[in-house]
Amino acid sequence: MADETNRALYRTAIYSNDYYDFIIDYRGGYPREDTACFQKVSDRFDVVCYGRSASPEMSLETYPYAIIPKCYAPADQTALETGGILRLQNPAGLDLTGQGVLVGFLDTGIEYTHPAFRYADGSTRIAAIWDQTAKNGEPPEGFSYGTFYGRKTIDAALASENPAALVPTVDEYGHGTFLAGVACGSADAAADFTGAAPMAELLVVKCKEAKPYLREYYFVPEDVPCYQENDLMLALSWLLHMADRLQKPLAVCIGMGTAMGNHAGEDAFSAFCDEVGRQRQRVVVTCAGNEANARHHYFRSGLAENDTEAVEIFVGQGVTGFSMECWAAVPEIYRVTILSPTGERFAAVGGMAGSQSHRFLFEQTTVTVEYVVSGFGLGSQLICLRFFAPWPGIWTVELTAALAIEGAFHCWLPQTGLMSGEVFFLQPDPDTMILSPGMSASAVSAGACHTAGGGIWADSGRGYSVSGTVKPDVLAPGVNVYGPGLRGGYTVRTGTSVSAALTAGGCALILQWAVLRQGMAWLNSTDLSNLLIRGAVRSADRIYPNRAYGYGQLDVYGALEALRV
């Protein structure tokens, strides 16, 4: 397909609910499609669109689990001193402000007119914005949709009486604005505020929200902000492209996450984050998520063959539907039986592949059970259950080990905020609740602690990953943190996305010192993670690494001191 024709078709398809979006992983040497409408993410990944009218209905029986985009949501609900950052900004110390470093955000956008994103002369500190939602402007070079706003255009808008006439992008939710400000907002003495890297340049992606068909497939309410995995991957690809073009170090802040997947870092976005993080002068910072107290994880091990484990799920009033994923490492095989609140049983035929549906008579609830094998590394068995109009009460999912080696399995429910009501396990396990892409091996994963005292925030996602990777790496302040809000003001937010923003700002300071001042051009995300781990503050009465605390509390100054040892 000719490039121009492909770009025009993709630009139409990516906004249209009449097209399915799929993430294609070419690992293994498969040839790229030459007829499909696609957008290249990297040498490994493409996003491909197919017309729904000519395609089978969305299900795991017809499409591999790995290619269906997951839905991500923002992870949020005087921090600089606690993170060891003010000591680096202080002229009597290292006088680090992030100057010469790029900090990238893929989020809900940015209020670019806010004083926190301007130099003292009023000009912008934003190098570029890609608004994926803006359909009528010119897309970024190499990309097929959205609108690109460069520094000159943003400065012209700021100098005009009506900035929105030239740069109409807005942040409806304020999440992206807040994270950008916390990471690298300009100093504002009147508001008693400064970001972690107040002289770094910003790259911003306003991500397009998920299509209606994908919301319907995952039971996500219409009024909940959520974002497709493929758009986030393309956002990260653009940030990388811009950093290469500007020839500057880049720290990326990812303040979104999803509870979908096997929590082993094998999903497409986690794999791409790992790919980017291994490049020179590129650092990826992710959030651990806010699910430790959500009761959305169940774990059991030690089952013998033919043993059965009863997993009880509470479903509250008004839940329109929800999905549940059960994962076990191959070669183990599990069968499923579902017991309704009134006692009706449905035994789904087990195996490595297949799909069944059952409608419960009294509850008028339909449940589908799909068996698939997914994942390149661990080769996990996935059993996906989808509950349509679930009757309130206690539902029981019985998992029977048809073939057991370790006799272990995990179950996860979607993260808080992506469901229409209350759903949780009656006997949950609080561990293994880091959201994707927080299990990415090379990325820095940040959990949240209180600014005063450094105690862990109760909702901060706990590790480790299913593959045993220690996550989170560190904790950073994430409770009642002060930062830029909408309409030029300031506000307070809580969540691990805030911790990720502070950590990303701290990484920008390290990049400034190590790469720009010391010539350590080889530094990447893995190196930064190791530095932060070495410099982290650890309590004498706690064993590290720790599922909740990782390797300790963020101390950027301590990380640089570790380089002198």
Side-chain angles (χ1 to χ4, degrees), residues 217-239:
Y217 181 71
Y218 289 122
F219 303 103
V220 179
E222 292 182 4
D223 58 346
V224 171
C226 76
Y227 303 86
Q228 294 185 200
E229 185 177 17
N230 54 293
D231 289 317
L232 301 184
M233 291 177 69
L234 286 168
L236 180 56
S237 178
W238 177 76
L239 293 174

Side-chain angles (χ1 to χ4, degrees), residues 9-24 36-39 41 46-52 55-56 58 63-71 132 145 208-215 217-218 227-234:
L9 181 55
Y10 188 88
R11 188 175 175 86
T12 298
I14 199 64
Y15 294 115
S16 173
N17 199 47
D18 294 331
Y19 288 82
Y20 285 139
D21 304 334
F22 296 118
I23 300 169
I24 307 300
C37 159
F38 72 94
Q39 169 72 63
V41 176
D46 276 354
V47 178
V48 181
C49 299
Y50 289 103
R52 291 178 63 189
S55 303
M58 182 69 66
Y63 301 106
Y65 176 85
I67 77 171
I68 302 173
K70 314 304 179 289
C71 281
Q132 292 183 344
Y145 68 111
K208 178 179 69 65
E209 292 197 42
K211 291 182 178 181
Y213 85 82
L214 208 58
R215 287 177 176 271
Y217 181 71
Y218 289 122
Y227 303 86
Q228 294 185 200
E229 185 177 17
N230 54 293
D231 289 317
L232 301 184
M233 291 177 69
L234 286 168

